[in-house]
């Protein structure tokens, strides 16, 4: 149960099968998605609005994919850094589990390859956008928490800062892509409610905040992987439709 | 609440079950000491995965079906445990999850249960992408990039293709590769950096060595490498080094030959100089600066200039009283001296009475510029000339000269000159009216000098003269063709004094010594009869009317030539000697006579 849209608040209860879910979501969220988005502003040195230099769709997609790849790699590095610094060894295995406590998304994203291959372009893009937008706030939160650590390495702080910035530009790119590929506008900022449930401290040695932050990093890494995968699939489809379709 | 519960359970599972770590590292190694447990789960292409287990020590559970695998996908919504979708028939204790059941980004938990006893022996949780071990790349081959100049090293480019099972094109898997190589049968593999493309260059391999190259891959941002590909052999035979060294040898040879040629040319061109350097000529005895040829054949004026530039006489020889002996007073010819002009004025001499004409040539500097060396009068004599003087040391015996010289200096010198004689002989009034020049006609046995007309025994002077003469003689004897009048005079003591022919005056430029006393010129007369040592067969001098051998320098003209009294038979020979030929020289005792000059003078 998530209420996420800023202007049109639609609360939808989602359940059952993935396809039905997706379809329902598409239908239900349509009004939100139709709302007008703030276009990208191109400003020159004086500050007046000028025409943005145009870029081909293919190039834009490449750039977006590069962004996603970088974000994914940096998220993995941040997770490793945090793990080495603050997480005791036995709990490293938590990583293997991919973060069981990741915050829920408005709609579940299919995990099997076959299912993903059946997702439409539109859906791919929108899920990417949704993912990006869902992580903006938690990353800012993560930055503040990391600053409170006594001996957080500078690289870790820099990486999280960097990721936040890149996420913004990724969002912008995806918005433009959506506009170009799908001919629709989107509302750029969207509000996702994140329920960061407090954890019961499993052990006195490990503070809850550490676990929470670790979990956050793991979840973010997973979602970054999702973004990258979707975008690459999209690219594959753009260049060569046949080989990317499920067999 | 649900989250905390699951977390707690998870943690418990971690603490109790060791299988979690094993999901990553310990694969395919069943631990016999344990009970039934999972030995590992793997996925090759992120689309399917398999899990294996072992019964462990519980041998009674080895029969199939005794142990069963249940899994649960941990999504947001908790689902119930489901049994393994496919127990592989061919492989024992393997559970295979096909595409339908494989979901990435979801965590699985599997349990090993014995249904009969309803005991869960083992549990492990993972996500599929964390257990992916990609297949090895295929199509590994190499191409030679280049061989180094020396032929000892070479570079290759290794290429491969991603494993066919991995769907790289779709972006389902992003692979990175690692190339390793080693010398064949060595123990240590060289590892190169991760490469996201499908080719890599290897640099710096040695020729004549066989290398093995292999490659493996893993998913980017994950840690599990796949298996290595098959090794390929790389070998490049060493190119025979003849070709490479041949040009070097040629270049070396040609370089050496060129150098030798250059050296020979150099030697031949600079032969003379080299001869001088390596075989310096033995110096013939000669006087520095004087060309022996010139002495034989040169002109008089050149000789004069040469001689004036010579530094042959020690300055300290005549340091004390350099011009003592050169002062000759001629007291009998007062009227002849009246024509001296400005020098007299400078001296403050009265034209009328004074018959002493001291015409000195004095330079304000130490260089000599005139051809005649008038004899500088004794400071005592000067004192006699100039009444009312104060005595001083004989520092500057000179008197000023005319014309171009600094009048002040002349006056100064005049004053100095004035001062000097007073000390020595404050009262020589009797000489005021005497000429400066007088001829020595005879020597007394006591060592006195007998001067012709108006003689006065000046023994100390004579003694000094004699001493100096002796000194000069010793020095001059060694000087070859040169002699001085002093020597000549001395030598001619045996010769009956005869005035001899009126010879001209040979004036030779003297050198002014810095800070020395001598700064004047002096006249020297030559006489044939007085140089028997040079001309042993000198004819006896004919008896002539008693004309004084000396004449007085009347004036000095602009060219620094001395104008002598006309009555002398011999014209004044005044070679012009340019100033510049006269550097500072030590004083010369007397004039010089060369055989040529003597020849000229001999009538």
């Amino acid at each position: 149960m998530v209420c996420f849209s800023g202007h049109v608040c639609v609360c939808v209860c989602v359940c059952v099968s993935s396809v039905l879910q997706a379809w329902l979501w598409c239908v239900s969220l349509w009004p939100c998605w139709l709302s007008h988005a703030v276009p990208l502003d191109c400003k020159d040195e004086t500050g007046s609005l000028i025409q943005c230099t145009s870029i081909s769709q293919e190039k834009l997609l490449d750039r977006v994919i590069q962004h996603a790849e970088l974000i994914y790699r940096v998220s993995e590095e941040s997770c490793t850094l945090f793990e080495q610094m603050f997480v005791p060894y036995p709990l490293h295995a938590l990583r293997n589990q991919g973060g069981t406590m990741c915050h829920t998304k408005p709609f579940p994203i299919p995990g099997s390859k076959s299912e993903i291959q059946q997702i439409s372009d539109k859906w791919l893009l929108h899920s990417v956008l949704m993912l990006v937008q869902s992580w903006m706030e938690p990353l800012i939160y993560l930055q503040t928490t990391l600053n409170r650590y006594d001996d957080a390495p500078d690289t870790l702080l820099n990486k999280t800062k960097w990721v936040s910035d890149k996420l913004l530009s990724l969002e912008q790119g995806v918005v433009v892509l959506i506009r170009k590929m799908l001919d629709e506008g989107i509302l750029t900022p969207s509000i996702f409610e994140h329920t960061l449930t407090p954890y019961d401290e499993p052990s006195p040695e490990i503070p809850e905040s550490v676990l929470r932050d670790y979990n956050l990093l793991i979840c973010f890494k997973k979602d970054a992987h999702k973004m990258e995968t979707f975008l690459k699939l999209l690219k594959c489809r753009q260049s060569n439709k046949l080989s990317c379709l499920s067999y | 609440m649900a989250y905390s519960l699951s977390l707690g359970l998870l943690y418990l599972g971690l603490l109790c079950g060791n299988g979690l770590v094993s999901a990553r590292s310990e694969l395919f190694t069943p631990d016999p000491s344990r009970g039934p447990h999972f030995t590992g789960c793997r996925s090759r292409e992120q689309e399917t995965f398999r899990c294996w287990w072992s019964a462990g020590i519980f041998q009674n559970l080895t029969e199939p079906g005794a142990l069963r695998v249940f899994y649960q996908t941990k999504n947001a919504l908790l689902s119930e445990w489901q049994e393994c979708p496919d127990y592989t028939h061919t492989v024992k204790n393997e559970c295979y999850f096909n595409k339908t059941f494989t979901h990435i980004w979801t965590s699985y938990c599997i349990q090993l249960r014995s249904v009969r006893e309803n005991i869960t022996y083992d549990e492990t949780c993972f996500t599929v992408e964390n257990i992916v071990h990609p297949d090895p790349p295929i199509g590994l081959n190499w191409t030679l990039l280049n061989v180094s100049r020396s032929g000892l090293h070479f570079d290759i480019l290794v290429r491969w293709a991603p494993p066919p099972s991995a769907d790289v094109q779709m972006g389902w898997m992003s692979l990175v590769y690692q190339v390793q190589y080693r010398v064949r049968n060595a123990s240590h593999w060289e590892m190169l950096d991760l490469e996201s493309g499908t080719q890599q260059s290897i640099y710096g391999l040695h020729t004549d060595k066989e290398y093995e190259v292999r490659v493996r891959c893993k998913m980017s941002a994950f840690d599990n490498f796949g298996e290595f590909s098959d090794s390929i052999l790389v070998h490049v035979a060493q190119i025979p080094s003849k070709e490479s060294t041949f040009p070097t040898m040629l270049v070396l040879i040609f370089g050496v030959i060129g150098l030798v040629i250059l050296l020979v040319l150099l030697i031949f061109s600079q032969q003379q100089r080299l001869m001088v350097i390596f075989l310096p000529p033995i110096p013939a005895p000669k006087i520095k600066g004087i060309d022996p040829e010139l002495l034989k054949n040169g002109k008089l004026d050149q000789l004069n200039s040469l001689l004036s530039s010579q530094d042959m006489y020690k300055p300290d020889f005549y340091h004390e009283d350099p011009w003592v002996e050169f002062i000759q007073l001629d007291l009998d010819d007062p009227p002849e001296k009246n024509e001296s002009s400005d020098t007299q004025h400078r001296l403050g001499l009265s034209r009328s009475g004074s018959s002493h004409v001291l015409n000195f040539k004095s330079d304000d500097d130490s260089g000599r510029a005139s051809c005649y060396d008038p004899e500088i009068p004794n400071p005592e004599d000067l004192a006699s000339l100039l009444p009312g003087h104060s005595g001083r040391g004989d520092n500057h015996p000179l008197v000023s000269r005319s014309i171009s010289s600094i009048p002040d200096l002349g006056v100064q010198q005049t004053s100095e000159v004035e001062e000097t004689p007073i000390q020595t002989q404050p009262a020589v009034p009797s000489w005021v009216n005497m000429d400066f020049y007088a001829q020595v006609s005879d020597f007394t046995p006591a060592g006195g000098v007998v001067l012709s007309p108006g003689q006065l025994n000046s023994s100390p002077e004579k003694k000094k003269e004699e001493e100096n003469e002796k000194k000069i003689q010793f020095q001059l004897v060694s000087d070859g063709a040169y002699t001085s009048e002093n020597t000549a005079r001395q030598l001619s003591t045996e010769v009956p004094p005869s005035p001899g022919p009126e010879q001209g005056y040979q004036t030779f430029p003297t050198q002014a010594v810095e800070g020395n006393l001598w700064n004047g010129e002096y006249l020297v007369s030559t006489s044939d009869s007085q140089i028997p040592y040079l001309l042993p067969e000198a004819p006896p001098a004919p008896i002539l009317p008693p004309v004084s051998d000396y004449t007085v320098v009347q004036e000095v003209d602009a060219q620094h030539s001395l104008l002598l009294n006309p009555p002398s038979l011999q014209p004044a020979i005044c070679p012009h000697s340019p100033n510049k030929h006269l550097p500072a020289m030590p004083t010369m005792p007397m004039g010089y006579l060369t055989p040529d000059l003597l020849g000229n003078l001999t009538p």
Side-chain angles (χ1 to χ4, degrees):
Chain A
M1 269 70 79
V2 176
C3 180
F4 63 89
S5 163
H7 288 80
V8 179
C9 188
V10 175
C11 300
V12 179
C13 182
V14 182
C15 53
V16 198
S17 70
S18 53
V19 177
L20 185 59
Q21 274 176 1
W23 185 77
L24 274 173
W25 272 114
C26 281
V27 168
S28 60
L29 295 174
W30 195 258
C32 298
W33 291 345
L34 274 181
S35 58
H36 196 62
V38 176
L40 284 172
D41 288 335
C42 291
K43 290 192 176 134
D44 62 354
E45 301 86 49
T46 60
S48 59
L49 289 173
I50 56 165
Q51 186 110 32
C52 298
T53 48
S54 62
I55 183 174
S56 71
Q57 188 178 299
E58 198 179 308
K59 261 197 181 172
L60 179 62
L61 187 57
D62 282 339
R63 295 236 186 121
V64 168
I65 287 171
Q66 279 172 13
H67 266 75
E69 275 179 338
L70 272 173
I71 289 168
Y72 176 51
R73 235 180 292 157
V74 172
S75 70
E76 197 266 341
E77 287 165 11
S78 311
C79 193
T80 314
L81 268 173
F82 187 87
E83 186 182 87
Q84 285 167 358
M85 282 290 296
F86 304 110
V87 180
Y89 184 68
L91 288 177
H92 285 192
L94 272 176
R95 207 167 160 192
N96 257 356
Q97 296 145 43
T100 52
M101 256 60 69
C102 296
H103 58 266
T104 56
K105 298 291 180 294
F107 46 89
I109 292 167
S112 71
K113 184 179 173 188
S114 47
E115 285 174 4
I116 290 168
Q117 275 177 330
Q118 289 160 16
I119 301 174
S120 66
D121 290 356
K122 180 173 175 163
W123 204 93
L124 282 175
L125 277 171
H126 281 293
S127 32
V128 168
L129 184 65
M130 185 266 303
L131 282 166
V132 169
Q133 287 169 347
S134 71
W135 271 104
M136 290 199 168
E137 201 186 296
L139 276 178
I140 295 168
Y141 163 78
L142 189 66
Q143 278 182 68
T144 50
T145 42
L146 282 177
N147 278 328
R148 284 194 231 117
Y149 281 77
D150 284 338
D151 48 353
D154 279 340
T155 41
L156 179 61
L157 298 171
N158 293 340
K159 281 190 206 294
T160 39
K161 175 93 177 51
W162 184 89
V163 163
S164 302
D165 297 336
K166 283 300 168 206
L167 219 54
L168 276 168
S169 41
L170 180 65
E171 186 203 15
Q172 282 178 350
V174 172
V175 163
V176 172
L177 262 181
I178 287 170
R179 196 163 5 114
K180 276 194 171 182
M181 290 171 70
L182 309 175
D183 294 327
E184 54 184 65
I186 209 79
L187 184 70
T188 328
S190 67
I191 300 163
F192 288 91
E193 278 182 20
H194 297 285
T195 54
L196 296 167
T197 55
Y199 299 172
D200 288 339
E201 250 190 55
S203 89
E205 297 110 32
I206 307 158
E208 181 197 317
S209 57
V210 171
L211 268 182
R212 189 177 55 228
D213 296 335
Y214 189 44
N215 199 56
L216 208 62
L217 283 167
I218 293 170
C219 292
F220 177 61
K221 180 192 164 182
K222 195 163 72 167
D223 285 348
H225 189 218
K226 286 182 197 171
M227 289 182 235
E228 186 194 338
T229 310
F230 287 171
L231 288 167
K232 281 188 174 168
L233 177 61
L234 194 67
K235 161 118 183 129
C236 180
R237 283 191 192 164
Q238 295 290 315
S239 54
N240 190 353
K241 285 232 171 193
L242 288 171
S243 63
C244 301
L245 290 175
S246 62
Y247 41 84
Chain B
M1 182 59 187
Y3 292 152
S4 59
L5 253 179
S6 57
L7 182 65
L9 264 174
L10 202 64
Y11 195 65
L12 274 172
L14 280 169
L15 291 176
C16 306
N18 302 333
L20 269 174
V21 181
S22 69
R24 254 208 222 185
S25 50
E26 299 164 19
L27 285 175
F28 309 120
T29 53
D31 191 356
S33 63
R34 286 173 57 190
H37 59 277
F38 284 108
T39 51
C41 292
R42 275 214 180 174
S43 170
R44 280 174 55 220
E45 70 290 83
Q46 211 177 12
E47 294 169 35
T48 64
F49 70 98
R50 292 156 201 273
C51 284
W52 300 271
W53 70 90
S54 145
I57 52 178
F58 290 15
Q59 292 304 315
N60 53 348
L61 297 170
T62 49
E63 63 268 17
L67 287 167
R68 290 157 78 174
V69 173
F70 289 86
Y71 75 96
Q72 182 191 35
T73 55
K74 297 221 160 186
N75 288 336
L77 310 167
L78 285 174
S79 57
E80 60 271 4
W81 291 90
Q82 294 169 21
E83 194 166 353
C84 172
D86 187 11
Y87 290 99
T88 316
H89 301 289
T90 50
V91 181
K92 192 183 171 192
N93 296 345
E94 182 187 284
C95 179
Y96 172 68
F97 292 81
N98 57 16
K99 283 188 190 179
T100 345
F101 295 99
T102 309
H103 302 273
I104 60 173
W105 305 315
T106 55
S107 72
Y108 284 78
C109 282
I110 52 173
Q111 279 182 350
L112 192 64
R113 292 183 201 168
S114 165
V115 181
R116 223 179 310 138
E117 295 126 23
N118 206 7
I119 306 169
T120 305
Y121 288 107
D122 196 5
E123 184 175 349
T124 177
C125 296
F126 54 87
T127 54
V128 176
E129 58 263 28
N130 281 318
I131 58 164
V132 173
H133 295 253
D135 287 337
I138 58 166
L140 187 62
N141 61 0
W142 67 277
T143 51
L144 181 67
L145 280 178
N146 54 37
V147 182
S148 71
R149 282 247 200 106
S150 60
L152 297 173
H153 299 92
F154 64 99
D155 308 327
I156 59 168
L157 182 70
V158 184
R159 281 208 185 96
W160 60 87
S165 57
D167 194 352
V168 190
Q169 200 174 12
M170 194 193 113
W172 186 244
M173 289 171 73
S174 327
L175 295 174
V176 290
Y177 305 92
Q178 187 190 54
V179 175
Q180 292 184 2
Y181 69 95
R182 69 170 181 187
V183 180
R184 197 170 179 201
N185 296 333
S187 59
H188 174 66
W189 285 91
E190 296 284 340
M191 279 186 278
L192 300 177
D193 290 337
L194 292 176
E195 174 69 41
S196 55
T198 58
Q199 63 183 29
Q200 173 121 53
S201 316
I202 304 177
Y203 302 107
L205 298 175
H206 294 269
T207 53
D208 271 356
K209 276 191 195 171
E210 238 182 4
Y211 287 91
E212 280 179 87
V213 181
R214 62 182 188 181
V215 66
R216 61 178 181 175
C217 60
K218 73 171 176 83
M219 292 233 296
S220 74
F222 290 99
D223 307 326
N224 304 317
F225 274 105
E227 294 295 322
F228 280 107
S229 64
D230 292 332
S231 303
I232 55 168
L233 290 175
V234 176
H235 177 71
V236 171
Q238 197 168 29
I239 300 162
S241 57
K242 239 194 311 180
E243 291 171 20
S244 56
T245 57
F246 182 63
T248 320
M249 282 296 296
L250 266 179
V251 165
L252 215 67
I253 288 167
F254 276 113
V256 166
I257 288 171
L259 218 70
V260 165
I261 289 170
L262 211 69
L263 216 66
V264 166
L265 278 171
L266 200 76
I267 288 170
F268 274 115
S269 63
Q270 305 288 330
Q271 204 171 23
Q272 301 300 325
R273 242 188 270 175
L274 284 172
M275 287 291 288
V276 170
I277 291 169
F278 287 114
L279 305 169
I282 300 162
K286 67 174 208 169
I287 297 154
K288 200 164 50 166
I290 291 186
D291 187 7
E293 298 300 317
L294 186 62
L295 285 176
K296 290 178 200 163
N297 307 319
K299 301 255 186 355
L300 187 64
D301 48 357
Q302 291 171 4
L303 278 167
N304 276 336
S305 67
L306 277 173
L307 293 173
S308 66
S309 67
Q310 283 314 299
D311 183 9
M312 294 198 316
Y313 292 89
K314 293 202 170 70
D316 48 4
F317 229 110
Y318 295 94
H319 185 76
E320 294 86 16
D321 286 319
W323 39 269
V324 167
E325 67 224 331
F326 302 117
I327 295 176
Q328 321 234 338
L329 299 175
D330 189 2
L331 301 171
D332 288 346
D333 302 332
E336 300 172 3
K337 319 299 185 293
N338 284 342
E339 292 151 33
S340 63
S341 55
D342 31 7
T343 45
Q344 280 183 344
H345 279 288
R346 297 253 171 79
L347 291 173
L349 301 169
S350 57
R351 277 186 174 262
S352 55
S354 170
S355 61
H356 294 269
V357 176
L358 281 177
N359 289 324
F360 299 107
K361 185 101 173 200
S362 76
D363 294 339
D364 27 341
D365 58 355
S366 55
R368 305 315 308 264
S370 69
C371 48
Y372 293 105
D373 308 319
E375 296 192 352
I376 301 292
N378 208 331
E380 300 136 39
D381 300 335
L382 284 175
S384 67
L385 284 175
L386 312 163
H389 315 146
S390 59
R392 225 176 30 124
D394 44 87
N395 294 331
H396 294 279
L398 276 202
V399 184
S400 69
R401 53 156 298 186
S402 58
I403 317 169
S404 56
S405 66
I406 299 167
D408 299 338
L409 191 58
V411 172
Q412 201 180 18
Q413 285 183 338
T414 309
S415 64
E416 290 168 353
V417 162
E418 289 170 2
E419 292 168 357
T420 42
I422 296 300
Q423 258 182 355
T424 49
Q425 282 191 7
V428 191
S430 57
W431 284 14
V432 172
N433 296 325
M434 287 162 73
D435 286 338
F436 269 2
Y437 300 103
Q439 182 182 0
V440 173
S441 52
D442 202 0
F443 291 97
T444 58
V449 174
V450 177
L451 300 176
S452 58
Q455 292 133 18
L456 271 175
N457 273 355
S458 60
S459 36
E461 295 169 7
K462 198 193 72 179
K463 267 201 184 138
K464 282 188 209 169
E465 283 184 27
E466 279 185 349
E467 282 171 14
N468 288 336
E469 282 170 12
K470 285 202 178 84
K471 287 184 206 166
I472 296 167
Q473 185 178 14
F474 288 135
Q475 189 176 13
L476 287 181
V477 164
S478 61
D479 281 333
Y482 299 96
T483 187
S484 74
E485 197 204 345
N486 246 350
T487 320
R489 245 186 287 147
Q490 196 171 358
L491 291 168
S492 69
T493 42
E494 290 78 32
V495 177
S498 56
E502 179 70 14
Q503 304 291 337
Y505 290 87
Q506 299 298 318
T507 65
F508 297 86
T510 61
Q511 289 174 327
V513 184
E514 270 103 340
N516 209 338
L517 309 172
W518 194 262
N519 225 358
E521 295 160 349
Y522 54 91
L523 275 178
V524 169
S525 81
T526 61
S527 168
D528 264 339
S529 62
Q530 295 172 348
I531 315 164
Y533 134 68
L534 277 180
L535 302 172
E537 56 275 349
I543 298 175
L544 292 175
V547 179
S548 84
D549 282 352
Y550 304 96
T551 210
V552 174
V553 176
Q554 296 290 347
E555 257 187 43
V556 179
D557 66 11
Q559 282 90 31
H560 299 276
S561 52
L562 297 169
L563 302 177
L564 300 174
N565 241 351
S568 65
L569 289 180
Q570 294 290 330
I573 301 170
C574 176
H576 281 280
S577 53
N579 286 343
K580 59 180 188 269
H581 285 296
L582 302 174
M585 293 185 292
T587 53
M588 300 211 184
M590 295 294 252
Y592 302 91
L593 291 175
T594 66
D596 284 346
L597 294 175
L598 284 176
N600 287 342
L601 297 170
T602 313

